[in-house]
Amino acid sequence: MLLVGVSLLVIGHQLWLWARGWRFDALHPYFLCDVMIFALFGLGSLVALPQQWSSDIRFTFELYILAGLVAYYLGLHTRFQLATLQVPFRIRGGALQSILTRHIRVLITFIVLSTIALTLIILYQRAQVVGRSVLEILVLPPLYVHTILAQEEKSSLQVVVFYFINSLLLVSLYITLSKKQYFFSVLIVLTTMLCTLILSSTRIPIIIALLLPIAYYHYSVRSINLFLVIGIFVAAPVLLTALNNYRGGGGWTIIPMMEKETVVLKSLSRLWENYYHQKINLEYGMHYFYYT
């Protein structure tokens, strides 16, 4: 039931977008999120759900997942008109934009240096917590380091700040590319990829960083939708497997690695079973599941 329901939602969403005149874009969140939803919850249901479940547990769990996906799609395309907020002062956007434009190189240099400095600070703190040198932290499996940090409850705030600055880097990348300041563009891409690779324990930020040059070519030079679709369904499993080994997940066989990607649905089904048998509060369990 879950595979059929997820398939209908994903296909229906893409057909609805097409009927409304949306031009297909392989890098758009509309498509990428649908692919992830289908892979994690649709295909994942074939290998992740416990076989010994009774029909009532399975039915309520699948209904819970589908209701959440319906809410996601409704929230994605529902627009509410909010009353205009009144502020006690006015910001002259033109003047601010003019100042930023004149000093864009200084601003980008500051953001890049701040990113590098924060990365080094986080590395040093991680080395202190783990009890290793900074060089040893760089060669240890990221999952091993992340596990120790999670147990010690360290580095969370710094990582949040890092990703905030990383967002500023991506905005700066758009500005430099639009102004054809390619030296700064390359500097930003290299900084983003290197710092993300050093700090990230999950693969999605790394993949996003690696896609930056491809995304620029796709949007600024020529559309490569067909190439991207083939890459998503063919090259992505290989890339996920390689990055899983980099972070310490182990294993070079693609099919078993793809089955491990269903860990989200497996963990969620385990949480639901405990909730169904009144062993854990669902809201508490969901918060724990999300933040770990």
Side-chain angles (χ1 to χ4, degrees):
M1 173 183 166
L2 189 56
L3 175 60
V4 175
V6 171
S7 301
L8 291 175
L9 284 174
V10 168
I11 295 173
H13 181 232
Q14 288 297 313
L15 291 176
W16 183 82
L17 290 171
W18 174 76
R20 290 177 60 88
W22 180 66
R23 184 178 178 183
F24 177 76
D25 182 357
L27 285 182
H28 197 283
Y30 285 164
F31 177 70
L32 293 179
C33 289
D34 279 351
V35 171
M36 291 295 294
I37 288 172
F38 179 73
L40 293 177
F41 297 107
L43 296 179
S45 65
L46 299 177
V47 295
L49 297 184
Q51 297 297 324
Q52 70 275 13
W53 267 10
S54 61
S55 58
D56 54 342
I57 297 181
R58 180 178 296 272
F59 176 77
T60 52
F61 175 73
E62 293 179 348
L63 189 63
Y64 170 69
I65 296 293
L66 293 175
L69 293 178
V70 170
Y72 160 74
Y73 285 120
L74 289 176
L76 189 64
H77 296 290
T78 302
R79 298 292 182 265
F80 295 99
Q81 296 296 329
L82 300 178
T84 304
L85 298 177
Q86 299 294 329
V87 294
F89 57 89
R90 292 184 177 273
I91 300 176
R92 296 183 178 181
L96 179 62
Q97 184 177 5
S98 177
I99 294 173
L100 292 177
T101 302
R102 290 200 305 268
H103 302 285
I104 189 64
R105 294 185 178 183
V106 177
L107 181 62
I108 291 175
T109 302
F110 173 76
I111 295 175
V112 168
L113 292 177
S114 299
T115 305
I116 296 174
L118 185 60
T119 301
L120 293 176
I121 292 173
I122 295 174
L123 275 178
Y124 177 77
Q125 185 186 41
R126 289 181 174 182
Q128 294 292 104
V129 174
V130 178
R132 303 290 186 94
S133 68
V134 173
L135 292 178
E136 288 176 318
I137 291 294
L138 291 175
V139 298
L140 284 173
L143 273 182
Y144 170 77
V145 178
H146 173 73
T147 302
I148 296 178
L149 294 173
Q151 293 173 348
E152 299 293 334
E153 300 181 354
K154 299 292 184 180
S155 291
S156 298
L157 178 60
Q158 291 89 335
V159 172
V160 171
V161 175
F162 168 79
Y163 282 118
F164 172 75
I165 297 178
N166 200 49
S167 300
L168 296 179
L169 276 178
L170 296 179
V171 173
S172 302
L173 177 63
Y174 171 78
I175 295 174
T176 55
L177 287 175
S178 62
K179 294 182 177 296
K180 298 183 179 181
Q181 298 178 353
Y182 295 119
F183 171 78
F184 284 96
S185 300
V186 172
L187 180 64
I188 291 171
V189 169
L190 291 178
T191 302
T192 303
M193 293 175 63
L194 182 62
C195 294
T196 302
L197 194 64
I198 289 174
L199 295 183
S200 180
S201 60
T202 60
R203 289 160 292 176
I204 298 301
I206 296 176
I207 292 174
I208 292 175
L210 294 175
L211 281 176
L212 288 178
I214 299 176
Y216 170 72
Y217 184 88
H218 173 64
Y219 287 115
S220 300
V221 181
R222 55 174 296 194
S223 175
I224 50 174
N225 275 321
L226 180 60
F227 168 79
L228 290 171
V229 169
I230 295 174
I232 290 171
F233 291 103
V234 177
V238 178
L239 181 59
L240 286 171
T241 303
L243 290 175
N244 190 66
N245 277 272
Y246 162 74
R247 67 174 187 159
W252 280 101
T253 307
I254 294 178
I255 299 300
M257 284 296 103
M258 289 300 99
E259 291 183 0
K260 286 186 177 181
E261 297 305 318
T262 61
V263 65
V264 173
L265 193 58
K266 285 181 179 178
S267 301
L268 192 56
S269 63
R270 195 177 307 119
L271 170 62
W272 182 263
E273 185 174 11
N274 288 325
Y275 159 73
Y276 190 86
H277 293 295
Q278 299 181 347
K279 295 180 180 179
I280 192 173
N281 178 273
L282 182 61
E283 183 176 355
Y284 168 79
M286 286 301 297
H287 277 79
Y288 178 82
F289 171 76
Y290 177 79
Y291 286 109
T292 55

